[in-house]
Amino acid sequence: MLPKVTNINKFNFKRRNLVSGPQLLGTLLIIAGLVALVSPVFFLEGSLERVLGVGLAALIPGLLIVSSYGGTLIDFTGKRFKDYHSIGGYKIGEWTALPVILKVKVISTSYLSTNTPNGISPAFSGKVSEFRTLIYSDASKPVLSFVYSNRDKAVRHAKRLASDLNADLDLRVPGQQ
């Protein structure tokens, strides 16, 4: 879930988390593939073809899964945005005209999260705080919404969005003015 500035005229918000969901499976496959590829160094058993086959059979799908994610790309100069799905770095999605943005708001929400054990990820529960950056035009419903786990990052990106979109900034998170 880390936004990345691809260049100064664009804002790229990626929706992915490498420690949960499909990305966790991809990360585990990458680790398993790497372990399989380096195992001949420690265990002098098995043929080279078998080691490469097993290692690459885990590594390649793992890389594809980890490199697949969703996101939103905002083009400030073209006044447009696109919700996309990225597979291997190629972003698939349609550009939509961005309405005139009047306000960028950051709010915080907290809730109790419980993870059901599934055999892959650990079971845990606890209070989770999220910070949402909401982008409004003249309507009461936000045009775009981005979710962050880090308050400072949410505020930093909201300030950039407000500045680049010539919009008012409304910070409703503890510790911010």
Side-chain angles (χ1 to χ4, degrees):
M1 293 190 345
L2 301 174
K4 178 182 171 188
V5 178
T6 53
N7 68 39
I8 199 155
N9 297 320
K10 292 186 179 165
F11 180 82
N12 187 5
F13 179 80
K14 297 178 182 180
R15 289 185 228 6
R16 75 172 165 185
N17 187 351
L18 295 177
V19 293
S20 68
Q23 270 78 32
L24 176 62
L25 176 61
T27 304
L28 293 174
L29 284 171
I30 290 171
I31 292 169
L34 292 174
V35 167
L37 289 173
V38 300
S39 66
V41 173
F42 303 106
F43 309 107
L44 300 173
E45 296 178 17
S47 68
L48 180 60
E49 295 83 15
R50 185 173 184 180
V51 168
L52 285 175
V54 170
L56 293 177
L59 191 62
I60 292 171
L63 289 171
L64 280 173
I65 292 170
V66 166
S67 70
S68 300
Y69 57 90
T72 302
L73 187 62
I74 300 174
D75 178 5
F76 297 119
T77 56
K79 303 283 187 205
R80 59 189 184 156
F81 72 95
K82 98 169 141 177
D83 287 321
Y84 66 84
H85 294 285
S86 178
I87 300 172
Y90 181 72
K91 294 173 180 66
I92 302 165
E94 297 292 322
W95 286 104
T96 305
L98 187 64
V100 175
I101 302 300
L102 300 176
K103 182 179 5 175
V104 176
K105 183 193 295 188
V106 180
I107 61 171
S108 65
T109 58
S110 296
Y111 60 90
L112 185 62
S113 173
T114 303
N115 183 14
T116 306
N118 59 12
I120 296 176
S121 58
F124 61 89
S125 65
K127 186 178 178 183
V128 175
S129 294
E130 289 183 339
F131 302 92
R132 295 182 183 269
T133 299
L134 307 168
I135 300 175
Y136 291 92
S137 64
D138 57 356
S140 61
K141 183 178 177 186
V143 176
L144 296 169
S145 174
F146 306 127
V147 179
Y148 297 86
S149 59
N150 181 293
R151 180 190 66 197
D152 295 334
K153 189 172 288 188
V155 170
R156 185 174 66 246
H157 288 122
K159 287 179 180 178
R160 175 171 184 239
L161 286 165
S163 172
D164 289 346
L165 295 169
N166 295 321
D168 293 332
L169 181 61
D170 183 5
L171 299 177
R172 298 192 181 190
V173 291
Q176 296 293 322
Q177 284 98 11

